Amino acid sequence: MALLPILRFPDPRLKKVATPVVGIDDSIRKLVADMGETMYEASGIGLAATQVDIHKRVVVIDTSEERNQLRVFINPQLVRCEGLQTGEEGCLSVPGIYDKVERAERVTVNYLDLDGKAQSLTAEGLLAVCIQHEIDHLDGHVFVDHLSQLKQTRIKSKLAKQARVTA
Ligand code: NI
């Protein structure tokens, strides 16, 4: 396994739309293992392949307290969204920035597991938010896209300042 570098907003590569996985082979299994390791190392609860500059529809999520329930979603598709919830979101690609985003309260997602078997999951609360946030990444969207233009401009200048300080 290996840690993968995470792209930082506003890197234009975060806007690429990921393509579906056609066959689950060793390269996909290695990608999933590396993404899991990268997510845990960065203390994140979700990571989309887009964020590590691999533009395939692969997502890993772990919202468990114990950080030992890695969920893998290949070619995830939202087939049902119900209700609304608003919660504070952050993103490994937008370090140090948190803001409120409105999402569906409950979602049903169809996907393939690592064995290539079709699965369906209905989730609510934090897991539902996380699934929506990660599928957004696969479609080239970051959570700050949901915020006002003014907030987006402020976030870009704050991140640019951080980059200068750490450079
Ligand atoms: Ni994110």
Side-chain angles (χ1 to χ4, degrees), residues 51 91 133 137:
Q51 292 176 273
C91 178
H133 177 122
H137 276 302

Side-chain angles (χ1 to χ4, degrees), residues 7 11-21 48-51 53-58 75-76 134-142 145:
L7 299 178
D11 192 308
R13 290 171 290 180
L14 288 169
K15 293 192 170 177
K16 286 193 189 175
V17 177
T19 55
V21 171
T50 306
Q51 292 176 273
D53 201 24
I54 305 285
H55 301 280
K56 290 183 179 160
R57 302 189 80 83
V58 176
N75 300 342
E134 301 312 331
I135 291 177
D136 261 8
H137 276 302
L138 300 182
D139 291 327
H141 301 300
V142 180
D145 295 351

Side-chain angles (χ1 to χ4, degrees), residues 17-91:
V17 177
T19 55
V21 171
V22 282
I24 294 163
D25 55 15
D26 283 349
S27 77
I28 295 294
R29 282 185 281 270
K30 177 168 187 342
L31 173 64
V32 165
D34 289 347
M35 283 173 62
E37 192 185 4
T38 302
M39 178 188 76
Y40 286 123
E41 167 73 20
S43 301
I45 59 172
L47 188 70
T50 306
Q51 292 176 273
V52 293
D53 201 24
I54 305 285
H55 301 280
K56 290 183 179 160
R57 302 189 80 83
V58 176
V59 161
V60 295
I61 289 177
D62 188 346
T63 53
S64 72
E65 286 280 323
E66 305 76 18
R67 316 279 296 145
N68 60 3
Q69 289 167 42
L70 186 70
R71 294 175 186 270
V72 178
F73 299 88
I74 295 167
N75 300 342
Q77 251 189 323
L78 290 177
V79 292
R80 193 170 175 153
C81 296
E82 292 173 307
L84 285 176
Q85 60 178 323
T86 304
E88 193 134 279
E89 290 186 29
C91 178

